[in-house]
Amino acid sequence: MRKYILYMLIFFLPQCVMGQKKAISQARDFIKSGSSLDNAEKLMADLLKDSANRDNEKIWMTLFDAQQKQYEQGNEKLYLKQKYDTASLFNLTRRMFATLEGLDSLDMKPDAKGRIKFKYRDHSAELLNQYRPNIYYGGIYFIKKQDYLRAYDFFNTYIDCSVNPMFAKYKYASHDKNLTQAAYWAVYCGYKLKDPQATLRHTYLALKDTAHANLMLQYLAETYKLENDTVRYIKTLWDGFEKYPTFSFFFPRLIDNYVQQNQYDEALKICDTALKSDSTSVLFRYAKSNVLLLQGKYSECLDISKSLIAKNDTLADAYLNAGLSWFNQAVELDKNLQMSQKKRNKILDCYRNAMPYLERYRALAPEQKSKWALPLYTIYLNLNMGKQFDEIDKLL
């Protein structure tokens, strides 16, 4: 059996070596002539699929030469404004990185005495440093194409250079001004892909990009929500609200969270805090009117709603809250089984006061039938408004 194995090795190894040499020679000829460069790249890539060939430095270097030559030809066409696929150029750049990083992994292997002597690292790093800006711009390009997966891969490659020992002398972590923006865009791509792992991978670095810090916190919050991590979700909403109270994302979701838990006092505190940062905000004032309505503080809700209407008489939801402030009072009074005429008159007055607000809301938001139809039905019924009652009855 051993003789058989030895025979097979003796027979096949020379053939494998000859196959390697032939493929490398053919690829070198393609590179030298500047033609069939894609075939030259494929020949080398196919060789590297076999793990037995991955220790051959010539294959890695030939592969890179084929890619670099393609890049130079494509770049020249773009410079001369000739027809060329821009995406191909960016993809070539990323393949060049993968190739020389693969060669560097081979370069890092210790010799028989355990020593590591880099033959290619400095030259490889110098070459890739020149092409590295195209990794960043490639990411931007694919974001514009809404190819978020590919864009993420580009930004990830770009960022990883800052911790790759191969590029240590360039000190990207402290000198690269685009690094935090690249991290932000990587987070953005992960967020668009709904991939929590990709979104969170470069979070720490991305939060240093002050230009997008509010959006970063939004993406983090939504990612935590996607993972059903309620504690982190609420904490991030609070972080965002405290730092950016007027940013549209954090405030309404915080309010919604506490309203759903019937924690109206907490929701009201948030509204008051928000109003300190912008006392004229329609969103903050309307939200406060909502919370007051839920608390049964109808007079205060009505005051805010009327002030909103005075500023903008087309604000539909302000009419709804004003109308419901009156309507809810009537409903609560009507629950009392012992009804005096005085109390009955007060109920009817509440319905009369609610009616113009709710009718105006209906006119402004006819599609919101679920909000205005039943209250108006009740009002018309109690006020004996037969024509209006019949009309709303048909709708229901």
Side-chain angles (χ1 to χ4, degrees), residues 75-182:
N75 198 41
E76 184 179 359
K77 286 180 180 179
L78 287 176
Y79 179 76
L80 296 174
K81 297 184 179 178
Q82 296 175 3
K83 188 176 180 180
Y84 187 76
D85 181 13
T86 306
S88 297
L89 196 70
F90 289 128
N91 287 329
L92 266 168
T93 309
R94 191 159 175 271
R95 295 205 301 275
M96 287 159 62
F97 265 76
T99 300
L100 288 190
E101 286 176 351
L103 178 62
D104 190 66
S105 296
L106 184 61
D107 209 15
M108 289 175 64
K109 289 187 176 181
D111 61 18
K113 294 183 179 180
R115 298 169 300 184
I116 298 175
K117 295 182 178 180
F118 292 107
K119 294 165 58 179
Y120 306 105
R121 172 169 284 190
D122 285 346
H123 183 59
S124 294
E126 186 177 344
L127 283 171
L128 293 183
N129 182 58
Q130 297 172 31
Y131 294 116
R132 186 166 173 266
N134 266 5
I135 296 291
Y136 178 83
Y137 294 119
I140 298 295
Y141 173 85
F142 286 113
I143 279 181
K144 291 179 179 177
K145 297 292 182 182
Q146 297 185 352
D147 188 345
Y148 300 114
L149 181 59
R150 190 169 299 187
Y152 177 82
D153 289 339
F154 271 79
F155 289 121
N156 197 44
T157 298
Y158 186 86
I159 296 163
D160 282 351
C161 291
S162 66
V163 294
N164 189 332
M166 182 179 176
F167 302 100
K169 68 179 182 180
Y170 295 102
K171 299 180 180 178
Y172 293 134
S174 56
H175 289 87
D176 185 356
K177 295 180 180 178
N178 286 330
L179 198 61
T180 56
Q181 286 190 41

Side-chain angles (χ1 to χ4, degrees), residues 235-250:
K235 183 183 182 304
T236 307
L237 288 181
W238 269 110
D239 288 345
F241 175 64
E242 288 171 353
K243 292 175 183 175
Y244 311 100
T246 59
F247 186 63
S248 61
F249 179 83
F250 307 109

Side-chain angles (χ1 to χ4, degrees), residues 25-51:
S25 177
Q26 179 66 74
R28 299 305 307 174
D29 288 343
F30 286 146
I31 294 166
K32 188 175 181 180
S33 66
S35 61
S36 297
L37 293 170
D38 53 340
N39 286 332
E41 182 180 3
K42 186 176 185 307
L43 282 169
M44 297 300 96
D46 286 345
L47 284 179
L48 290 172
K49 289 177 182 177
D50 185 345
S51 58

Side-chain angles (χ1 to χ4, degrees), residues 348-389:
L348 296 179
D349 284 340
C350 287
Y351 282 138
R352 290 189 189 96
N353 289 328
M355 184 171 65
Y357 289 114
L358 290 170
E359 287 180 335
R360 178 61 174 157
Y361 176 71
R362 176 185 179 182
L364 291 170
E367 74 285 355
Q368 298 293 331
K369 187 171 73 172
S370 62
K371 295 181 180 179
W372 51 255
L374 190 58
L376 283 176
Y377 173 92
T378 306
I379 289 168
Y380 296 149
L381 175 65
N382 279 274
L383 297 180
N384 294 317
M385 300 176 68
K387 182 180 177 182
Q388 291 88 339
F389 175 81

